[in-house]
Amino acid sequence: MQHLIRTSDFSKDEILELFSDARDFLDFQSNEILKGKIIVTLFFENSTRTRSSFEIAAKRLGAEIVSLDVGTSSTNKGETIFDTVANINAMKPDAIIVRHSDCGLPESLTKFVDCPIVNAGDGKHSHPTQALLDLFTIFEHFDGQTDGKKIAIVGDVRSSRVAGSNRRLLPRFGIDVNLVAPDCFKYDGDEYKQFNNINDIIDDLDIIMSLRTQLERHSEIYFESLNDYAKDYCITEEVMGDRNILLLHPGPVNRNVDISDEMLKDPRNKILEQVTNGVAIRMAVLKKLVK
Ligand code: NCD
């Protein structure tokens, strides 16, 4: 049995196999690969895209979904999350998909279950299926020729789990990761090139991944208003010029803070393609883990 806690849980070959399955699933035909299976989703943090994406993926594969309403769950009655999950596990589901604000929580839960745990985002740490769908989108865009491509991940790289998973995953496929952020959002490490201003590297870039400012994870207020941040970090037509750069964002997008209205209409942005690919990648992940 295999869990998905971080992208390094899968080898490069396993990831390429996922991509091959995801490509097949992009016809969005429902099938019976997981017929009779029951998958539980347990989201302790808000989610629109990721939760519905997992649920649609599971249903496309013929599985049943049980979504626990954690707002009214037993954790509000004093039960620990470990006991809650041990109880759910005792009902013998075929997988549990978890999102939680604590880094490392999905990994700790693996000791309490005998079905696969899929991490749908743990605090600032990881969001493996998001990084896999981002890489898949890049991979398909460049016909598999990712080696030597340059990406700038722009914005709150310190607090974003999407940035965390991507900066670890993309270099395994030869992608050169550059981080662009104001000092207060800089990543605390020296494995990557870091820049204050996107204009310093824009001419070398193949891909820009813009991020949402993770206000809910900050203990201090760094900017008077998001408009102050947007002046330097919003991806606009002026920043992009006529360069042939693939523009990505994991969503939810703060319009005119992360990306301008015009760039959201520009065909260089593949944000909705990422969302579509997300369902196909999650189908491939569930097919692999749920037997
Ligand atoms: C992200 C998340 O929740 O980590 N969204 C997503 O899953 N697509 C990014 C964010 O919240 O900014």
Side-chain angles (χ1 to χ4, degrees), residues 112-183:
F112 297 84
V113 298
D114 35 36
C115 67
I117 293 278
V118 183
N119 178 4
D122 60 331
K124 301 177 183 179
H125 178 240
S126 282
H127 193 348
T129 56
Q130 179 69 43
L132 288 168
L133 78 87
D134 294 335
L135 174 63
F136 181 58
T137 306
I138 295 168
F139 195 88
E140 296 303 273
H141 183 82
F142 293 107
D143 290 325
Q145 305 303 307
T146 54
D147 210 29
K149 294 287 181 289
K150 273 189 196 303
I151 188 170
I153 304 181
V154 181
D156 195 352
V157 292
R158 177 178 293 169
S159 300
S160 163
R161 56 190 169 210
V162 176
S165 280
N166 270 296
R167 67 179 156 71
R168 291 184 286 262
L169 174 65
L170 302 185
R172 292 173 64 197
F173 287 78
I175 299 173
D176 177 27
V177 171
N178 300 271
L179 306 175
V180 178
D183 287 341

Side-chain angles (χ1 to χ4, degrees), residues 119-236:
N119 178 4
D122 60 331
K124 301 177 183 179
H125 178 240
S126 282
H127 193 348
T129 56
Q130 179 69 43
L132 288 168
L133 78 87
D134 294 335
L135 174 63
F136 181 58
T137 306
I138 295 168
F139 195 88
E140 296 303 273
H141 183 82
F142 293 107
D143 290 325
Q145 305 303 307
T146 54
D147 210 29
K149 294 287 181 289
K150 273 189 196 303
I151 188 170
I153 304 181
V154 181
D156 195 352
V157 292
R158 177 178 293 169
S159 300
S160 163
R161 56 190 169 210
V162 176
S165 280
N166 270 296
R167 67 179 156 71
R168 291 184 286 262
L169 174 65
L170 302 185
R172 292 173 64 197
F173 287 78
I175 299 173
D176 177 27
V177 171
N178 300 271
L179 306 175
V180 178
D183 287 341
C184 56
F185 293 162
K186 281 228 158 72
Y187 165 67
D188 201 12
D190 55 11
E191 311 97 284
Y192 309 95
K193 279 163 275 167
Q194 300 210 53
F195 300 85
N196 276 86
N197 195 317
I198 182 107
N199 293 321
D200 294 342
I201 42 163
I202 188 93
D203 286 326
D204 299 330
L205 293 177
D206 303 290
I207 312 149
I208 292 177
M209 179 180 292
S210 164
L211 301 170
R212 182 181 65 87
T213 300
Q214 308 282 299
L215 295 176
E216 72 279 21
R217 303 193 201 286
H218 298 164
S219 49
E220 311 169 40
I221 295 172
Y222 294 113
F223 286 92
E224 283 293 310
S225 84
L226 279 179
N227 289 335
D228 288 339
Y229 163 85
K231 268 188 239 131
D232 293 318
Y233 296 95
C234 184
I235 308 301
T236 60

Side-chain angles (χ1 to χ4, degrees), residues 252-266:
V253 176
N254 283 343
R255 274 181 182 264
N256 301 311
V257 175
D258 309 338
I259 300 180
S260 69
D261 283 335
E262 306 80 60
M263 278 316 301
L264 286 167
K265 286 188 235 143
D266 190 290

Side-chain angles (χ1 to χ4, degrees), residues 3-6 8-9 82 98 100 102-113 117-119 122 125-126:
H3 303 285
L4 175 58
I5 304 301
R6 46 177 74 80
S8 58
D9 291 334
F82 302 105
V98 193
H100 198 279
D102 288 357
C103 300
L105 187 104
E107 183 164 34
S108 321
L109 293 179
T110 59
K111 295 194 225 69
F112 297 84
V113 298
I117 293 278
V118 183
N119 178 4
D122 60 331
H125 178 240
S126 282

